[in-house]
Amino acid sequence: MATSTEPVAIVCVGMAGSGKTTFMQRINAHLHSKKEPPYVVNLDPAVRNVPFESNIDIRDSVNYKEVMKQYNLGPNGGILTSLNLFATKIDQILTLLEKRTAPPPPPEEGAPPGSVKKQIKNIIVDTPGQIEVFVWSASGDILLGSLASSFPTVIAYIIDTPRSGSTSTFMSNMLYACSILYKTKLPMILVFNKTDVKDASFAKDWMTDFEAFQAALQVEEDGGGMGGADGTGAGFGQGSGYMGSLLHSMSLVLEEFYKHLRVVSVSSMTGDGIDDFFVAVQEKKDEFNRDYKPELERRRKQRDNEKEGKRQKELGKLLADLNMDNTSKGKGKPKPKPKKEEPETISDMEDAEDEDDEDGGLVEPDEEYEENDADEDEDGLKKRYQQALKDEGAPSADDFSFAKYLHSSNMG
């Protein structure tokens, strides 16, 4: 059963310009003000400066510009390759996280108050603005899966509220959130950011009231807001009715999806709604331990069973190849020498004679082969090797005869 002191990992994802880094700075400052500093991880290799101090920074391990130069990549390819390289250190990352989030030891006698560090309760992770690079890549899957296997993990999907005022942009954000939810299979919080610029109440109404979204959609269709850049309704707009029909259908499809989300409105600039966000984090943490953790353990057990099955299958093949089954059944008895097949051709007979010559006429040891005899044979073998090494450098009679031949030929 999870306890309230169990650390939780908050992974912030969102489109470029949605305010992820500013949001990270705000929740970091909020936790510091509560005397509960978090453990901060930066996974954006292309960012130049961050307004907060990172405990683990991908830029300390991977040089983004050098990766682009060495592998001849563009910006997105450089970010993806940097994440792939960083994912190879996931075991070191988890070791650091588990060490820093472990309960502190009891204070020693006579130790001054406050000398023991408090247990870290929050791990916050900043990700690149290119969502597809992180969420749909193998490295992103490894990083998220490793975090979720060690800590309750929550996805915070940051949305730019002022840019989501139109129904089409709003629906695009919802579809993105839906795909991330089902790809990561982790609890998600929708964070409508920049509410100091535009209030997010309209978005909450669209998510909870189907008729409100349909009314807003009808207003945009009547006003030509669904059309092309000139507002005439050309293309996929009012003229064809394609976009309106699609949004009508999507709003019906996502109605069930909205029920599994927690929506909060925050302002990274002013700090409004940050307390509500951490209340939602606690709720999703409990949901993770209740619903998601058993599923993760079931999948992990299934993978372990599949690996064990493959291992046993390979072991069976190896035993069959080495014929170890027969050896184990007849343990303590000498293995009978296989009967040689009768040669059918002259070449087979010559090959058989060569094999007999290579054996040197040695016979197989009998059943009562003693350990002392084996030691004596081993000592004799060592002596023969030593003698061979000594004789290796001495010239033989053939060498002398060949030297005489060279000498006579030169004299001639």
Side-chain angles (χ1 to χ4, degrees):
M1 187 68 180
T3 61
S4 59
T5 60
E6 185 182 15
V8 59
I10 306 169
V11 182
C12 299
V13 299
M15 295 185 182
S18 60
K20 292 188 312 300
T21 304
T22 311
F23 177 75
M24 284 276 297
Q25 179 191 18
R26 175 56 65 181
I27 61 176
N28 183 32
H30 177 81
L31 291 172
H32 274 281
S33 66
K34 299 287 187 181
K35 305 299 181 183
E36 295 180 355
Y39 203 80
V40 184
V41 181
N42 175 42
L43 295 181
D44 190 352
V47 66
R48 291 188 176 181
N49 298 303
V50 289
F52 49 82
E53 185 177 354
S54 301
N55 300 99
I56 298 177
D57 198 329
I58 187 175
R59 298 175 298 170
D60 297 335
S61 303
V62 183
N63 190 323
Y64 167 68
K65 291 186 177 180
E66 284 298 320
V67 169
M68 291 177 59
K69 186 184 300 182
Q70 289 183 14
Y71 295 98
N72 194 23
L73 300 171
N76 289 342
I79 293 174
L80 178 58
T81 306
S82 299
L83 281 171
N84 291 339
L85 294 172
F86 189 69
T88 60
K89 303 178 181 293
I90 188 62
D91 54 338
Q92 302 175 25
I93 299 170
L94 290 179
T95 300
L96 285 173
L97 292 176
E98 290 172 355
K99 182 179 179 181
R100 293 295 293 116
T101 56
E108 298 179 358
E109 295 183 3
S115 59
V116 179
K117 292 184 178 180
K118 295 181 64 176
Q119 180 186 7
I120 291 177
K121 298 180 181 179
N122 294 278
I123 302 168
I124 55 178
V125 183
D126 193 14
T127 60
Q130 291 80 353
I131 303 179
E132 65 281 356
V133 170
F134 179 76
V135 178
W136 281 276
S137 65
S139 54
D141 192 31
I142 291 171
L143 292 167
L144 283 177
S146 302
L147 269 179
S149 64
S150 302
F151 309 99
T153 306
V154 177
I155 303 292
Y157 182 66
I158 317 300
I159 299 174
D160 190 342
T161 307
R163 293 184 181 178
S164 300
S166 67
T167 54
S168 56
T169 309
F170 171 81
M171 189 57 65
S172 299
N173 267 310
M174 294 301 104
L175 291 174
Y176 238 118
C178 180
S179 61
I180 293 173
L181 176 66
Y182 288 107
K183 175 64 174 65
T184 60
K185 297 181 177 65
L186 294 172
M188 177 179 286
I189 303 173
L190 288 186
V191 182
F192 282 92
N193 195 16
K194 305 181 182 179
T195 54
D196 56 307
V197 178
K198 183 178 180 63
D199 187 56
S201 58
F202 73 93
K204 294 181 179 179
D205 292 339
W206 289 353
M207 295 177 67
T208 56
D209 189 353
F210 175 77
E211 297 297 334
F213 181 79
Q214 296 299 319
L217 185 60
Q218 188 64 43
V219 169
E220 291 188 6
E221 288 179 342
D222 295 341
M226 303 284 298
D230 56 357
T232 59
F236 293 128
Q238 191 177 3
S240 64
Y242 174 81
M243 183 61 76
S245 176
L246 177 64
L247 293 179
H248 277 290
S249 303
M250 287 295 100
S251 61
L252 288 171
V253 171
L254 295 180
E255 188 174 6
E256 184 66 24
F257 165 70
Y258 295 148
K259 297 177 182 179
H260 300 280
L261 295 179
R262 181 70 158 80
V263 183
V264 295
S265 304
V266 302
S267 172
S268 299
M269 188 64 65
T270 63
D272 292 338
I274 297 299
D275 289 326
D276 295 337
F277 171 75
F278 281 101
V279 171
V281 167
Q282 187 60 42
E283 292 178 2
K284 290 300 177 180
K285 173 185 172 182
D286 297 337
E287 181 182 336
F288 177 91
N289 289 316
R290 183 182 66 251
D291 301 331
Y292 288 81
K293 192 173 183 179
E295 176 64 18
L296 288 174
E297 291 177 351
R298 186 192 65 78
R299 283 188 289 164
R300 185 189 306 160
K301 187 176 180 180
Q302 182 180 357
R303 286 195 301 268
D304 293 341
N305 291 337
E306 290 176 356
K307 289 181 181 179
E308 184 62 25
K310 290 180 181 178
R311 191 180 295 113
Q312 293 296 332
K313 187 176 180 181
E314 293 298 327
L315 182 59
K317 289 181 180 179
L318 180 61
L319 291 175
D321 292 341
L322 298 177
N323 202 14
M324 293 296 291
D325 291 337
N326 295 333
T327 305
S328 60
K329 291 178 182 178
K331 189 174 181 181
K333 296 181 180 180
K335 185 178 179 181
K337 188 173 181 180
K339 185 178 180 181
K340 293 185 177 180
E341 297 181 0
E342 292 293 331
E344 297 180 357
T345 62
I346 296 176
S347 59
D348 291 340
M349 187 179 297
E350 291 175 351
D351 293 340
E353 291 175 355
D354 292 340
E355 289 178 3
D356 292 337
D357 292 339
E358 290 177 359
D359 292 338
L362 296 177
V363 296
E364 292 291 329
D366 56 8
E367 297 181 11
E368 280 135 31
Y369 182 80
E370 296 293 333
E371 192 173 348
N372 294 332
D373 295 335
D375 294 338
E376 291 176 3
D377 288 348
E378 187 177 355
D379 293 339
L381 187 61
K382 288 183 179 179
K383 290 179 181 179
R384 288 197 295 271
Y385 273 121
Q386 291 173 357
Q387 186 65 33
L389 292 173
K390 289 180 182 178
D391 296 341
E392 186 178 0
S396 63
D398 294 335
D399 293 333
F400 281 123
S401 62
F402 186 64
K404 285 181 181 180
Y405 170 75
L406 288 177
H407 181 69
S408 62
S409 61
N410 289 334
M411 291 295 292

